[in-house]
């Protein structure tokens, strides 16, 4: 007999866990699904096709999934590596009829983190978000703050008839990369969701992402999104440095900026750039984040 909602076991974040997942995504209403064995970058593919000069307007949405990327791109111009078979790499594009998209990346992070956490086993490391939207496994909460990154989100936009074309790129370590391949301390989905494979994870994340874009388009980054982010915030209470600002993570502002409480008790909001854990605190530096 299926469990009623209140009987579904919950993990540390209060999220339902252990839900069964479909094995493969076969269809998603209004979304064209493309699977390729290899490409340079799913993100570049969709941007070139739908935002390039003379590109025809995109109707509906498109999901492009690659078994392997040879030129995967990360945030801040970094490259993104993903081991074939152990990683999930995809981009999802659609036009969003909304101008204020600054906090969309946080809403996407919340959506993916919650969808994965709901499949995590009891006792697994907690899934959390490092501002703005890195998916991390939290080995120790603040102030010790130790985490390992298991996935990242890259959002790029372009003007389009009826709104903005939004391309959401997601890269996730699903299985553990082979020994010696990872460039830094990493985590993977299988640590919390044993037996997870890229197709199963895609089948869970893609519908959640499609629904999140719809919700964000309708309501923006409202108080409900911010409350959900707060439950996943890995930086709350952690000693940080962001550019010239030094302070302790104090949640996020209404526009998705990161709030830091300085030594003087002042709250400073940081809208962009790199955030590092402050050297000399008990936490790892950015290299392990
Ligand atoms: C980050 O730097 O944390 C974001 C990484 C986003 C990588 C994904 S993988 C699928 C899509 N294609 C790319 O080239 N990048 C994004």
């Amino acid at each position: 007999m299926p469990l009623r909602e209140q009987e579904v076991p919950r993990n540390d974040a209060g999220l339902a866990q252990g839900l069964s997942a479909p094995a493969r995504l076969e269809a998603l209403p209004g979304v064209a699904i493309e699977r390729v064995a290899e490409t340079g970058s799913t993100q570049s593919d969709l941007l070139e096709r739908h935002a390039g000069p003379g590109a025809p307007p995109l109707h509906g949405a498109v999901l492009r999934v690659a078994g392997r990327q040879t030129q995967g791109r990360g945030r801040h111009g970094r490259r993104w590596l993903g081991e074939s078979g152990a990683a999930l790499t995809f981009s999802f594009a659609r036009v969003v009829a909304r101008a204020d998209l600054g906090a969309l990346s946080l809403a996407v992070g919340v959506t993916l983190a919650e969808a994965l956490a709901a499949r995590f086993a009891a006792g697994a490391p907690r899934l959390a978000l490092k501002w703005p939207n890195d998916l991390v496994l939290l080995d120790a909460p603040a102030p010790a703050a130790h985490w390992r990154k298991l996935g990242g989100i890259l959002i790029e936009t372009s003007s389009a008839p009826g709104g903005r074309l939004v391309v959401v790129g997601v890269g996730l370590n699903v299985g553990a990369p082979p020994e010696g391949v990872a460039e830094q301390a990493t985590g993977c989905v299988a640590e919390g969701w044993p037996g997870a494979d890229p197709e199963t994870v895609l089948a869970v994340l893609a519908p959640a992402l499609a629904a999140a874009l719809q919700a964000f388009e309708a309501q923006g980054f409202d108080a409900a999104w911010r409350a959900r982010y707060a439950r996943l915030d890995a930086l709350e209470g952690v000693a940080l440095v962001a550019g010239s600002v030094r302070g302790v993570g104090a949640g996020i502002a209404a526009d998705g900026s990161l709030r830091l409480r300085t030594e003087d008790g002042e709250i400073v909001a940081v809208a962009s750039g790199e955030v590092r854990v402050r050297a000399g605190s008990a936490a790892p530096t950015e290299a392990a984040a």
Side-chain angles (χ1 to χ4, degrees):
M1 187 199 286
L3 292 172
R4 290 198 308 270
E5 173 62 17
Q6 64 269 37
E7 293 171 335
V8 173
R10 306 225 150 220
N11 58 21
D12 290 350
L15 298 163
Q17 61 181 15
L19 307 177
S20 63
R24 186 178 154 93
L25 182 74
E26 299 296 351
L28 201 49
V31 183
I33 301 175
E34 305 173 354
R35 285 186 171 86
V36 290
E38 180 178 307
T39 188
S41 154
T42 55
Q43 196 77 1
S44 302
D45 290 348
L46 293 186
L47 280 169
E48 279 161 25
R49 192 197 307 162
H50 298 293
L58 173 63
H59 297 294
V62 54
L63 170 68
R64 187 167 174 84
V65 191
R68 181 168 177 267
Q69 293 186 133
T70 54
Q71 289 166 45
R73 296 190 290 111
R75 292 173 54 239
H76 303 296
R78 296 197 196 102
R79 64 192 178 133
W80 183 263
L81 300 172
E83 273 308 297
S84 185
L88 172 63
T89 51
F90 70 89
S91 296
F92 184 96
R94 64 161 278 199
V95 174
V96 174
R98 192 171 188 100
D100 53 333
L101 297 174
L104 175 61
S105 79
L106 281 72
V108 170
V110 166
T111 300
L112 302 188
E114 287 182 352
L116 289 172
R119 266 81 195 170
F120 267 35
R126 208 184 115 202
L127 244 170
L129 290 169
K130 174 184 174 274
W131 185 89
N133 59 13
D134 280 349
L135 293 151
V136 298
L137 287 180
L138 206 54
D139 293 321
H146 188 281
W147 57 71
R148 291 169 290 124
K149 182 165 174 173
L150 80 158
I153 297 160
L154 173 67
I155 298 192
E156 294 171 299
T157 71
S158 167
S159 61
R164 290 199 68 79
L165 173 75
V166 172
V167 184
V168 179
V170 178
L172 265 186
N173 305 327
V174 177
E179 195 91 355
V181 166
E183 288 188 326
Q184 57 187 37
T186 54
C188 68
V189 175
E191 286 182 58
W193 177 1
D197 64 69
E199 278 294 347
T200 324
V201 174
L202 178 70
V204 166
L205 297 189
L209 177 57
L213 286 177
Q214 220 166 345
F216 191 94
E217 183 176 52
Q219 72 208 43
F221 195 59
D222 62 5
W225 278 117
R226 297 199 294 277
R228 288 163 67 184
Y229 191 98
R231 287 168 58 197
L232 293 159
D233 188 354
L235 299 187
E236 176 80 44
V238 177
L240 302 169
V241 55
S244 58
V245 183
R246 292 160 68 86
V248 170
I252 51 166
D255 65 355
S257 304
L258 176 69
R259 288 160 36 103
L260 268 69
R261 188 184 310 279
T262 66
E263 256 179 24
D264 306 340
E266 191 194 344
I267 295 288
V268 178
V270 175
S272 62
E274 287 287 352
V275 181
R276 294 161 193 272
V277 172
R278 210 182 307 163
S281 70
T285 60
E286 197 217 353

